[in-house]
């Protein structure tokens, strides 16, 4: 299989001039967007159009006024499909919306894309070809690209892939021990996801601990609805917990994470579920939801507080799996400068962070309880002063990262 060239475009150069960049994150039932000015990072507008295809679809939009404060608009919109949804987003942004470039989140770049890429017809064809292995994501990402191409003709557009950061993994991390033909004929390998977030927090962590990114050894934990862990050596992803699809690895809101591959075969052979049913069960009915009925970690914590035993088991399993990955990646890296928590759970749940790190002081990982309970900053250090491995909570910002990567591609293009 051809190896992608690694576009090391995150070694950011000084940009030539200020630019207005529209970031689009087109999902299966929602569109998130942000209009921002770089390099300052000033947000001009942002919003979320949700419940596409439902009668109750609505848009929540914010724009800055002349005095730089945000003005909120919340309104119902008719968004029966993505085309109509994008029309509504463009309308609320306004006809005279100043856009110099557009950055799109694209979930799957396969092993073709190892960095942000200027979109042309050939790139669109490649993203379309990857729909087969990312049927829930790439088609709606493409709809976003096509809508923007027709609404903003001539405006350069860049694809930023969730998989790209992990293209530096060595074969012993990205290959599975399966018949070689599965890899050569069907491309079965680990790709990893959440790369934009892992990359963003990893760079911020290196800056914070005052170490060059390209010599930093980090473990980053993105714990949101989806969740993944990444081992980073010398600024490069060397292993990550999500695999061929986002199903592998940590316990998630509704995904199982790691399991014995014989289990789905058994369930099918037993006649309990067919292929589609198993796919649905493992992606939508498992994880925290499968264990205790809700995928929302806040609700799990509340149930646990109220003495619910299923919620206790769900939390135990969730945190134990994180701890196992910390241990595994510690072994993979040899030494670790910093352990980073991010994502809705990682940024907000002191309990998850505490339990996941319990008993790891021999690894040089010791949480400072008071600091852990009081996380409020964009970056907060929660390790004890003597903790050899620094422990950080960092707010992720995938939109800002996408905008920056978009700008770097254009900057390069103009050289
Ligand atoms: P997504 O992966 O959809 O972007 P997020 O990163 O927003 O998701 O994370 C959502 C998860 O974060 C949910 O499980 C939610 O319960 C959890 N979460 C958000 N705020 C808190 C909080 N204050 N305490 C615990 N968990 C929280």
């Amino acid at each position: 299989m051809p190896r992608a060239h690694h576009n090391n475009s995150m070694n950011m150069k000084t940009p030539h001039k200020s630019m207005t960049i529209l970031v689009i994150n087109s999902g299966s039932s929602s569109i998130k967007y942000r209009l921002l000015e770089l390099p300052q990072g000033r947000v001009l507008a942002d919003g979320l159009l949700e419940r596409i295809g439902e009668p109750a679809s609505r848009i929540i939009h914010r724009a800055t006024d002349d005095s730089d404060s945000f003005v909120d608009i919340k309104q119902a919109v008719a968004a029966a499909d993505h085309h109509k949804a994008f029309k509504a987003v463009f309308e609320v942004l306004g006809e005279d919306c100043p856009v110099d470039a557009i950055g799109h989140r694209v979930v799957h770049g396969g092993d073709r894309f190892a960095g942000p890429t200027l979109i042309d017809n050939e790139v669109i064809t490649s993203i379309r070809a990857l729909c087969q292995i990312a049927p829930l994501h790439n088609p709606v990402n493409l709809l976003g690209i096509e809508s923007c191409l027709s609404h903003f003709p001539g405006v350069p557009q860049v694809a930023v892939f969730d998989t790209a950061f992990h293209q530096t993994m060595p074969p012993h991390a990205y290959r599975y021990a399966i018949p070689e033909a599965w890899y050569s004929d069907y491309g079965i390998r680990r790709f990893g996801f959440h790369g934009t977030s892992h990359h963003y927090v990893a760079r911020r962590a290196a800056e914070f601990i005052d170490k060059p990114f390209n010599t930093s050894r980090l473990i980053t934990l993105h714990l949101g609805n989806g969740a993944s862990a990444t081992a980073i050596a010398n600024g490069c992803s060397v292993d990550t917990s999500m695999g061929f699809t986002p199903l592998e690895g940590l316990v998630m809101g509704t995904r199982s994470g790691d399991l014995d591959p014989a289990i789905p075969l058994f369930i099918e052979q037993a006649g309990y579920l067919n292929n589609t049913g198993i796919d649905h069960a493992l992606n939508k009915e498992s994880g925290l939801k499968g264990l205790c009925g809700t995928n929302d970690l806040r609700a799990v914590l509340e149930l646990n507080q109220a003495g619910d035993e299923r919620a206790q088991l769900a939390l135990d399993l969730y945190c134990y799996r994180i701890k196992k990955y910390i241990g595994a990646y510690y072994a993979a890296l040899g030494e670790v400068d910093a352990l980073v928590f991010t994502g809705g759970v990682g940024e907000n749940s002191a309990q998850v962070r505490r339990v996941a790190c319990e008993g790891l002081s021999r690894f040089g990982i010791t949480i400072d309880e008071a600091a852990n309970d009081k996380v409020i900053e964009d970056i907060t250090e929660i390790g004890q002063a003597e903790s050899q491995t620094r422990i950080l909570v960092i707010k992720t910002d995938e939109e800002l990262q996408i905008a920056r990567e978009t700008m770097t591609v254009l900057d390069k293009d103009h050289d």
Side-chain angles (χ1 to χ4, degrees):
M1 218 176 228
R3 285 281 297 145
H5 74 111
H6 189 67
N7 179 350
N8 205 2
S9 56
M10 288 311 298
N11 295 327
M12 268 162 246
K13 294 179 291 179
T14 313
H16 296 147
K17 64 175 174 67
S18 144
M19 279 182 121
T20 304
I21 297 184
L22 176 63
V23 175
I24 297 285
N25 180 351
S26 171
S28 55
S29 65
S30 70
I31 298 166
K32 263 197 221 163
Y33 57 92
R34 190 188 293 177
L35 185 68
L36 68 177
E37 209 171 64
L38 283 193
Q40 306 86 325
R42 182 166 161 252
V43 178
L44 304 175
D46 64 11
L48 170 72
L49 190 154
E50 56 187 358
R51 303 180 194 146
I52 298 173
E54 291 178 40
S57 49
R58 61 172 189 170
I59 194 163
I60 302 162
H61 176 83
R62 302 188 310 164
T64 40
D65 62 12
D66 293 341
S67 61
D68 250 12
S69 21
F70 274 108
V71 181
D72 286 345
I73 303 174
K74 198 178 275 187
Q75 63 189 44
V77 288
D81 57 31
H82 277 74
H83 290 293
K84 298 206 172 70
F86 272 103
K87 200 159 164 261
V89 169
F90 299 146
E91 241 162 59
V92 78
L93 282 169
E95 266 313 307
D96 51 353
C97 173
V99 178
D100 295 317
I102 302 174
H104 292 271
R105 173 187 182 214
V106 178
V107 167
H108 217 309
D111 52 12
R112 161 80 211 277
F113 298 106
T117 305
L118 191 65
I119 296 174
D120 58 18
N121 285 338
E122 203 235 315
V123 169
I124 289 178
T125 306
S126 300
I127 296 173
R128 184 164 293 123
L130 291 161
C131 287
Q132 201 197 353
I133 53 172
L136 298 180
H137 297 106
N138 276 31
V140 287
N141 301 156
L142 268 175
L143 283 173
I145 292 171
E146 283 160 355
S147 297
C148 288
L149 280 172
S150 70
H151 190 79
F152 297 100
V155 173
Q157 313 214 16
V158 170
V160 177
F161 299 92
D162 271 22
T163 46
F165 182 56
H166 302 300
Q167 277 295 302
T168 45
M169 284 186 291
H172 63 255
Y174 75 72
R175 287 287 297 275
Y176 293 106
I178 50 177
E180 194 178 357
W182 292 21
Y183 171 65
S184 50
D185 297 352
Y186 296 97
I188 308 285
R189 52 159 286 175
R190 177 182 311 285
F191 290 107
F193 299 86
H194 288 146
T196 306
S197 176
H198 287 291
H199 195 176
Y200 175 80
V201 296
R203 277 194 175 268
R204 291 215 69 186
E207 256 166 46
F208 186 83
I209 62 172
D210 208 13
K211 216 177 159 184
F213 187 53
N214 63 8
T215 62
S216 296
R217 292 177 170 259
L218 307 160
I219 297 174
T220 51
L221 300 165
H222 177 106
L223 311 175
N225 235 323
S228 63
T230 295
I232 296 167
N234 303 328
C236 295
S237 169
V238 291
D239 204 353
T240 193
S241 59
M242 283 180 167
F244 179 61
T245 74
L247 187 55
E248 193 180 347
L250 301 177
V251 174
M252 310 183 210
T254 61
R255 297 188 198 123
S256 62
D258 293 337
L259 83 165
D260 181 341
I263 296 169
L265 304 177
F266 176 84
I267 291 290
E268 191 172 25
Q269 275 157 11
Y272 177 50
L273 288 173
N274 64 14
N275 211 288
T276 315
I278 293 172
D279 184 50
H280 180 80
L282 294 178
N283 278 293
K284 303 277 185 206
E285 302 292 338
S286 297
L288 294 172
K289 188 175 179 197
L291 289 164
C292 72
T294 172
N295 65 305
D296 187 315
L297 192 98
R298 266 169 303 196
V300 181
L301 291 169
E302 277 164 26
L303 284 170
N304 176 235
Q305 280 280 313
D308 186 300
E309 282 177 17
R310 293 166 73 219
Q312 179 69 57
L313 174 67
L315 276 174
D316 289 348
L317 226 148
Y318 184 89
C319 295
Y320 177 62
R321 186 77 54 85
I322 296 170
K323 184 185 298 204
K324 282 215 287 194
Y325 269 93
I326 295 174
Y329 288 170
Y330 204 104
L333 292 170
E335 56 187 89
V336 180
D337 300 314
L339 171 68
V340 181
F341 286 90
T342 193
V345 175
E347 291 164 24
N348 294 300
S349 177
Q351 184 173 338
V352 165
R353 294 191 298 258
R354 178 170 47 75
V355 179
C357 292
E358 243 161 36
L360 295 182
S361 50
R362 286 238 171 168
F363 286 72
I365 295 172
T366 319
I367 277 196
D368 176 323
E369 298 282 344
N372 186 40
D373 286 340
K374 251 196 313 220
V375 169
I376 35 162
E377 313 283 346
D378 274 5
I379 299 193
T380 312
E381 177 139 27
I382 60 164
Q384 285 186 12
E386 63 271 23
S387 177
Q388 257 171 347
T389 294
R390 314 271 296 261
I391 313 174
L392 308 174
V393 179
I394 304 184
K395 282 201 169 67
T396 195
D397 193 339
E398 287 161 288
E399 279 76 20
L400 178 59
Q401 178 76 6
I402 291 171
R404 284 180 178 160
E405 296 197 26
T406 299
M407 187 154 181
T408 345
V409 169
L410 297 178
D411 239 26
K412 199 170 264 167
D413 219 40
H414 288 150
D415 281 347

